[in-house]
Amino acid sequence: VNGILGSGRGSVRHAISDDGSRAFWAPTHGYLLTDINLPALYLRDTVAGASFRLDVPQPGANEEGAERPAFSVASRDGSVVFFTDSQHLTTDASPTGRDLYRCEIGAVEGGLGCAELSNISVAVGEADEAAEVLDQVSAASDDGTRVYFVARGVLDGDANNEGAVAQTGEPNLYLWEEGQG
């Protein structure tokens, strides 16, 4: 299997857990340097000697959109991974564009996987609003409890300290914090 660590393009922060027991990788079939064109995202459990696919739609998701997951970052211990995908993996996925998902690794049927998968880039406002997450996560805490990312959708209607509010179609910087949304 031809594969790359993380999803390439500079997205390898904590793609291998500190103890080396977990590695996040993608097959390179169809990989283009100019675009995210990877068919799947996997977790390699070096202790069990097995790989498990992570970009699996949750029950109730309509599974529309191309399967194009892209690893962004993981926690140091490999227990949490963030990735974007244009395929609808959850029931609250955007109608178009890429969403940012948070996957808590745990036991699932068949081995390890996303025991809890959540879309942390849900748009507010109109029903057809898309998150349109851009590139990879800009910054993240080592424990996976905070991430900064850029999206063109309006994900929060609150004004910042300067009184500015997010605008649809404009790049907006967001902070997601565990327990805060």
Side-chain angles (χ1 to χ4, degrees):
V1 173
N2 291 325
I4 56 172
L5 189 60
S7 289
R9 296 170 37 115
S11 66
V12 295
R13 183 165 177 232
H14 300 306
I16 298 176
S17 63
D18 280 354
D19 67 359
S21 65
R22 294 180 173 175
F24 300 96
W25 66 279
T28 58
H29 174 69
Y31 180 67
L32 300 174
L33 291 176
T34 59
D35 194 14
I36 299 172
N37 195 22
L38 300 167
L41 178 64
Y42 290 92
L43 163 66
R44 178 70 179 179
D45 181 339
T46 61
V47 175
S51 291
F52 305 98
R53 189 164 179 172
L54 299 179
D55 59 307
V56 177
Q58 299 298 293
N62 66 22
E63 301 182 38
E64 291 179 10
E67 295 177 344
R68 296 292 180 249
F71 173 88
S72 285
V73 67
S75 60
R76 266 183 187 218
D77 64 1
S79 64
V80 176
V81 60
F82 295 90
F83 64 93
T84 61
D85 202 336
S86 53
Q87 183 181 27
H88 301 177
L89 301 180
T90 57
T91 57
D92 57 358
S94 295
T96 60
R98 301 182 75 76
D99 285 311
L100 179 60
Y101 294 97
R102 181 180 189 270
C103 165
E104 289 187 32
I105 304 297
V108 296
E109 187 177 328
L112 288 178
C114 293
E116 186 175 324
L117 180 68
S118 53
N119 179 354
I120 64 170
S121 61
V122 177
V124 298
E126 301 297 321
D128 62 346
E129 177 88 29
E132 293 189 52
V133 175
L134 305 175
D135 301 317
Q136 275 87 26
V137 165
S138 300
S141 62
D142 284 338
D143 62 0
T145 59
R146 291 181 311 282
V147 294
Y148 288 91
F149 62 98
V150 176
R152 284 198 178 112
V154 177
L155 311 184
D156 182 347
D158 296 336
N160 66 15
N161 292 340
E162 304 295 320
V165 294
Q167 300 294 314
T168 299
E170 297 294 321
N172 300 290
L173 178 65
Y174 292 99
L175 165 63
W176 176 89
E177 291 183 276
E178 185 172 18
Q180 302 294 314

